[in-house]
Amino acid sequence: GRVVFLDFFYADCLPCHRAIPALLKLHEEFADRGVVFLGIDSYDGIEDPKLRSLVDTMQIDYPVLLTNRMVDRQYGVGVYPTAIIVDRDGRICYAESGFDELTTAEWREAILSAVER
């Protein structure tokens, strides 16, 4: 019954690093509207110092789930970062790979659309 933003990333992905500040701002903006943000990492392990450092340095305050690459394949992820937004009915309503200066506005618009449905 919630809108969920899935961020598929991994610790050594530089475009993923660039996307995290935008994700953190959106997470803060939409926290009171019930939007759940989840980082999905299928490359790094819980004890991986690179992942720990990234989470600590970037102050990622939403959950980061460690999965296997099967989850990436199930969602059709092959490029990182990939953002997927799932609406309240469990349907994927947005999916886009990569990150650039226009991406944050697209994410925000897609989240708003999902929340307002």
Side-chain angles (χ1 to χ4, degrees), residues 46-103:
I46 195 165
E47 298 300 324
D48 190 316
K50 291 178 195 173
L51 178 59
R52 283 240 182 253
S53 176
L54 177 65
V55 169
D56 292 344
T57 302
M58 302 293 272
Q59 299 179 350
I60 297 173
D61 60 352
Y62 48 82
V64 173
L65 307 178
L66 304 178
T67 65
N68 59 43
R69 291 194 183 98
M70 177 63 85
V71 173
D72 293 13
R73 286 192 290 275
Q74 289 173 331
Y75 280 93
V77 175
V79 176
Y80 302 87
T82 290
I84 295 177
I85 299 174
V86 180
D87 70 14
R88 288 186 169 107
D89 296 322
R91 293 182 302 242
I92 294 173
C93 60
Y94 176 88
E96 190 66 45
S97 297
F99 182 79
D100 62 32
E101 54 276 347
L102 301 176
T103 305

